[in-house]
Amino acid sequence: MRAGMKPAITFLICLALTGAPSGSPQAQAQPQAARSLPDFTDLVRKQGPAVVNIITTREVGPRAGLPPQLQEDPFFDFFRRFIPELPERGMPGPRQAQGVGSGFIISEDGYILTNAHVVADASEVTVRMADAKREFTARVVGADEQTDIALLKVEETGLPVATLGKAADVEPGQWVAAIGSPFGFANTITAGIVSATDRALPAGTYVPFIQTDVAVNPGNSGGPLLNLAGEVVGINSMIYSRTGGFMGVSFAIPIDVALDVARQLRETGRVTRGRLGIGIQHLTRELAQSFGLDTTEGVVVVSVEPGSPAQKAGLQVGDVILEFNGQPIEQPNELPRLVAQAKPGSPGKLVVWRQGKRETIAATVGEMPETAAVGATKPAAEPGLQPGRLGLSVRELTPQERKQLGVDYGLRVMDVEKTAARSTILPGDVIVGVDRERFQSLEEFNKLMEGRKPGEKLALLVRRGEATLFVPMQVG
């Protein structure tokens, strides 16, 4: 879940220094052991003043009160002091709720970075300095939900400023520290190590997250992640938890991503990103073999939006994108980031694998809309099974289903036999193509299957809900 919000995902060293002789192994090991445990006191002293506590007020609708037995508990009011989201006793109507988060000052004239979810829907934002003696009303300059970055401004000068570092210098195993306001306890520091870099998360398409084991809890959101030099290398944003509390896995947004977003918010009030208008899929070993590739680097194009920059450039379903503007695509999450970073209207050079050979395609990068509506389609469950060569029981889509899915023809998978159990195809999937070829009837599908030898590998183009993907199969 995101730190600072309700849980949404159900995801000492003790050194005994004795008076051993100076030549003993214990004495020789002491300096190395001492060096492995850094002292963060100087870091807190220098960077702590630039970290702020952010208190938000938002209007919320009526909500049912707590059970009577809890409202009558003498500790109820005590807990309310630390958990502002608890309702008042028997509050019947609209009310105001407070939230707590963190942030840090990036300029002496009052610009502050935090998370977008910290200030989302807030009617009032208050910034409290680390000394707890000064408070300022903040203005939200802008917020970007895609990266979870918000830029605030307070009308004050001469403020302490955090020292900014480079996320590119962060490596797994390095010591890092977080300063923030977990559960409202301002200017709290916790420490740990970098667990991994360049993490891709389902909700973070454009962010190569830094994963750490630093203790991060609700209220830490928006606070800085610092290296041993006291430089901000990230913004603490999310935790993975099955309980709602910290479980050793937290994620930070790289500072360079945050600063680029902040720059755009400050200059224009919005963030622009490039787009091609395609859907992509990870290139597995089985899919690579079916396309005649000897590498799994790259991504497979599974859909091309009509009228999009990709369609105008001639990209096709089944193309494997290997490079974008000279950058090889080694991981699936790299292409969306590279395209998003490209300026709308700029040229985009793609190297693709098509029909067994490499081709270069020139595209003009479009602009990603700020919001996109995504509908939902429920699969029908009508009977009428037909056996298939691939160990699948399928049926033709009804006219209504074709209209709902926006396809001319398709075969819905009704059952997966044991011979196909190793495939990732699922009941409910709709087969709309074989390798790169679409089919418009059951006869055309059977024709595409003719001549396939037992053990031969192919890729089925499948609609799964709103997603389109290739599923590798083996002819039985």
Side-chain angles (χ1 to χ4, degrees):
M1 75 169 186
R2 286 178 171 172
M5 301 185 71
K6 296 182 179 179
I9 305 178
T10 58
F11 220 23
L12 292 104
I13 292 180
C14 296
L15 293 178
L17 300 181
T18 64
S22 60
S24 68
Q26 294 94 329
Q28 293 175 357
Q30 285 175 16
Q32 182 178 359
R35 285 196 301 270
S36 67
L37 296 174
D39 187 346
F40 294 97
T41 54
D42 191 53
L43 182 152
V44 177
R45 184 165 51 250
K46 292 181 178 179
Q47 301 303 324
V51 182
V52 298
N53 192 14
I54 297 176
I55 302 99
T56 60
T57 302
R58 56 176 57 86
E59 299 287 339
V60 296
R63 185 173 65 183
L66 294 178
Q69 61 269 26
L70 181 56
Q71 294 190 28
E72 295 170 4
D73 193 304
F75 288 101
F76 175 77
D77 288 325
F78 172 80
F79 283 114
R80 282 202 72 262
R81 294 167 56 194
F82 298 100
I83 311 177
E85 287 290 338
L86 285 178
E88 296 284 356
R89 299 175 189 266
M91 288 187 67
R95 60 193 176 84
Q96 286 189 333
Q98 280 194 332
V100 178
S102 304
F104 55 96
I105 304 169
I106 59 173
S107 69
E108 292 184 353
D109 58 347
Y111 282 97
I112 297 169
L113 277 180
T114 186
N115 284 148
H117 75 261
V118 169
V119 296
D121 303 320
S123 57
E124 183 178 336
V125 179
T126 301
V127 171
R128 180 179 297 160
M129 299 296 292
D131 57 16
K133 297 179 181 179
R134 292 181 293 171
E135 287 188 357
F136 307 102
T137 298
R139 171 174 60 91
V140 180
V141 177
D144 178 47
E145 293 183 2
Q146 298 286 353
T147 54
D148 196 24
I149 294 296
L151 181 66
L152 311 182
K153 179 70 168 66
V154 297
E155 299 306 320
E156 185 68 19
T157 58
L159 296 174
V161 178
T163 303
L164 305 180
K166 297 180 180 179
D169 296 334
V170 176
E171 295 182 3
Q174 291 180 339
W175 282 95
V176 283
I179 304 179
S181 305
F183 303 108
F185 295 105
N187 231 34
T188 297
I189 182 170
T190 53
I193 64 169
V194 176
S195 304
T197 58
D198 200 29
R199 280 289 193 222
L201 301 180
T205 305
Y206 307 111
V207 179
F209 285 97
I210 302 169
Q211 180 186 334
T212 77
D213 69 351
V214 178
V216 173
N217 285 288
N220 274 112
S221 283
L225 182 73
L226 304 111
N227 59 21
L228 285 182
E231 300 169 333
V232 179
V233 294
I235 300 179
N236 298 305
S237 177
M238 300 182 185
I239 63 174
Y240 180 84
S241 176
R242 294 183 183 274
T243 65
F246 176 69
M247 294 184 67
V249 182
S250 56
F251 299 94
I253 303 161
I255 188 62
D256 53 344
V257 174
L259 291 176
D260 178 64
V261 171
R263 176 188 58 79
Q264 294 189 60
L265 291 175
R266 185 173 179 176
E267 293 176 355
T268 66
R270 59 189 292 266
V271 178
T272 58
R273 292 187 176 88
R275 70 181 290 267
L276 289 176
I278 58 174
I280 60 173
Q281 177 187 347
H282 173 57
L283 182 64
T284 64
R285 181 173 56 85
E286 293 82 4
L287 281 176
Q289 291 175 348
S290 68
F291 293 138
L293 268 170
D294 57 1
T295 177
T296 57
E297 295 182 358
V299 291
V300 186
V301 178
V302 295
S303 64
V304 179
E305 296 178 17
S308 66
Q311 187 189 53
K312 294 176 182 177
L315 274 176
Q316 301 175 9
V317 173
D319 285 344
V320 179
I321 300 177
L322 304 174
E323 294 180 11
F324 179 78
N325 281 347
Q327 296 290 321
I329 309 301
E330 298 178 353
Q331 300 293 332
N333 56 302
E334 290 178 343
L335 181 63
R337 295 175 193 165
L338 291 172
V339 174
Q341 292 168 6
K343 186 177 180 180
S346 64
K349 181 181 176 183
L350 299 106
V351 176
V352 304
W353 181 263
R354 176 185 294 175
Q355 301 290 5
K357 61 180 180 179
R358 294 168 68 99
E359 294 186 18
T360 300
I361 296 177
T364 300
V365 178
E367 182 175 348
M368 182 174 295
E370 294 188 55
T371 58
V374 179
T377 303
K378 295 183 178 180
E382 299 179 6
L385 301 180
Q386 296 180 346
R389 272 194 72 190
L390 298 173
L392 307 175
S393 296
V394 299
R395 69 166 173 82
E396 295 177 292
L397 292 178
T398 65
Q400 180 64 25
E401 289 174 326
R402 294 200 297 269
K403 184 177 180 180
Q404 289 176 338
L405 289 173
V407 298
D408 296 327
Y409 185 82
L411 297 172
R412 185 177 296 281
V413 177
M414 303 303 293
D415 191 23
V416 180
E417 300 174 3
K418 291 183 179 180
T419 54
R422 294 180 61 184
S423 171
T424 55
I425 200 161
L426 302 172
D429 287 347
V430 176
I431 304 171
V432 295
V434 179
D435 291 331
R436 298 172 51 84
E437 300 294 329
R438 296 268 186 163
F439 54 88
Q440 303 296 323
S441 66
L442 184 59
E443 290 73 22
E444 289 186 18
F445 174 75
N446 290 331
K447 189 174 181 179
L448 290 173
M449 294 299 299
E450 288 179 3
R452 302 278 183 171
K453 299 178 181 178
E456 182 179 345
K457 295 180 179 179
L458 52 83
L460 297 180
L461 185 61
V462 167
R463 284 290 300 272
R464 182 175 293 169
E466 289 297 319
T468 305
L469 67 157
F470 279 101
V471 176
M473 295 288 297
Q474 183 171 313
V475 179

